[in-house]
Amino acid sequence: MNAIVALCHFCELHGPRTLFCTEVLHSPLPQGAGSGDISGQNEQAEEEEGGIQMSSRIRSHSPAEGASADSSSPGPKKSDMCEARGCRSLAGGHPGYVSHDKETSIKYVSHQHPNHPQLFSIVRQACVRSLSCEVCPGREGPIFFGDEQHGFVFSHTFFIKDSLARGFQRWYSIITIMMDRIYLINSWPFLLGKIRGIIDELQGKALKVFEAEQYGCPQRAQRMNTAFTPFLHQRNGNAARSLTSLTNDENLWACLHTSFAWLLKACGSRLTEKLLEGAPTEDTLVQMEKLADLKEESEGWDGSEEEEKPSSQPDVVEGQELSKCSPETSLMPDCNSWNVAHRRLSVFRSLRHMRQVLGASAFRMLAWHVLMGNQVIWKARDVDLVQSAFDVLRTMLPIGCVRIIPYSDQYEEAYRCNFLGLSPHVQIPPHILSSEFAVLVEVRAATRSSLYPTLFDDEQSLNKYEFVVTSGSPVAADRVGPTILNKIEAALTNQNLSVDVVDQCLVCLKEEWMNKVKVLFKFTKVDSRPKEDTQKLLSILGAAEEDNVKLLKFWMTGLSKTYKSHLMSTVRSPTSSESRN
């Protein structure tokens, strides 16, 4: 966590002072640290915080790394320090503490003041505000303050017992400073609990020392018998004692370094960023509905084996593939005798691959019919090739718009499927061949060894085929077409985009246009707006062109039942409530 944790003290002579601070260093320490590490003595300090044990190696390093005694240090002058070390933590020659986190290569450095002048100014200002104007009721407890320029501060003020202080207590605060306001606010419960634990330990140690001193030499009775002279009492040499003296703990600063370093590490690792996907997409809803239907159907089975029902119509698969070979095709080498590795090469791998094989104009015609919801018919002997073509083409459509019959020995009407695979001997009705609502892709044996440029080594297996794309309504090259088709072609032709990136572009494009479909469905089917208002809406959506309108109407059939029922119930609710009133 990019933050600074500091212990501050309010001195009766000098006002608010920073005693000890721990900061995070992500870059290597300055040059000269190596010699300091060698000459310094290593020491182990262990502290258990909230059930987590931390072992911190405390190393002595050179004054250039963080010693506040350096003449160029931005810390306060020696004349501003209390004679009894009440305003200081480390001795003049003490180099400070550093802990190394080997997992993240982060160093936690502790000293009295930050070396960087800007950080020193930020910590100094936060210290002054935490012990002066920014105080919670009762002067003891947590508070939050700050701004974008000087950072945001979580401050917890508290008192430490001192038998020689006015009121028998001295005022301290532990502050956490960082620039990320949201992160700091979200860390409030964690910081409050852990810092409160550090404060309780300090107060407990100081209370034992205070009670021992009061038992040996009660200060209250002695002060009542002494003339009250405020000015002399302030300057009579009873300067603030150091915190190590108040707690009788010579290893106090080493323990605080360990606690502060653990606090910074734990607070930084407890909150992680996650990708929020938000509401499920229409494809996800449709898939969930289909799974629910299959589960309901399976629960309705009586457990006995159903008799095989002869049917002349193949199964229609919505949103998933189903391989089914007819009796005629079961004897074909595609289904039985071909080598599996050889067959895997005779498939389409992606839309970009298909565009390279078919050619730009033929692919555009095929993609246009797919997006418009027209029937796409493939005639080929290679079942795997047909299925791979459907696998690739279906990625351009929402799942709810996909109805596939992978392979059949007879023609099926368009209302049953928009992707139909046929064996070469199947006769297609003439009105379908001349229809503008269908496109036929015939896979024939190639007459030449190579019919298109070979861009990949494994494309040699497709060179034996010739792909002929025909339709009763060919798409003119100069036709604008639907907007999404133009964007898909732009992504496919951009060689800087990998296949995976193109796939993500397709997901984003489909979700964008499905959102437009939702708006149009709500506007026309639910609200029943007039035709003029619908035309205005289409202009706002950027879909007023004829092809875009046809696409939206077709994609509307792919909306999930969940979404449609939700809209209908939302519309009926106000009406029913008004009727009850």
Side-chain angles (χ1 to χ4, degrees), residues 134-270:
E134 305 289 354
V135 181
C136 64
R139 300 185 67 192
E140 192 172 20
I143 194 171
F144 178 88
F145 60 88
D147 53 60
E148 296 286 348
Q149 182 178 0
H150 300 96
F152 298 93
V153 183
F154 171 87
S155 171
H156 196 302
T157 52
F158 61 97
F159 292 103
I160 292 290
K161 286 292 185 178
D162 183 3
S163 59
L164 300 181
R166 284 189 297 178
F168 300 103
Q169 62 185 10
R170 298 195 182 276
W171 202 19
Y172 291 84
S173 70
I174 295 179
I175 59 177
T176 303
I177 313 167
M178 67 184 308
M179 302 305 294
D180 193 335
R181 176 176 61 90
I182 301 300
Y183 197 105
L184 188 58
I185 292 176
N186 290 334
S187 303
W188 176 288
F190 175 82
L191 292 174
L192 179 60
K194 302 308 176 184
I195 291 178
R196 185 68 250 179
I198 297 174
I199 292 173
D200 290 341
E201 187 175 356
L202 293 176
Q203 289 177 332
K205 293 179 180 180
L207 182 60
K208 292 180 180 180
V209 175
F210 174 78
E211 291 175 348
E213 291 178 349
Q214 287 294 86
Y215 180 79
C217 181
Q219 293 291 317
R220 189 177 299 276
Q222 181 180 353
R223 293 183 184 183
M224 292 180 65
N225 295 331
T226 304
F228 183 70
T229 54
F231 180 78
L232 294 177
H233 173 71
Q234 190 182 33
R235 297 293 184 180
N236 65 357
N238 289 333
R241 292 190 293 173
S242 65
L243 193 58
T244 54
S245 175
L246 294 178
T247 58
N248 192 25
D249 187 359
E250 294 298 330
N251 295 322
L252 175 67
W253 304 119
C255 293
L256 279 181
H257 165 77
T258 304
S259 299
F260 287 174
W262 180 91
L263 186 68
L264 289 171
K265 177 178 175 59
C267 190
S269 59
R270 61 178 291 271

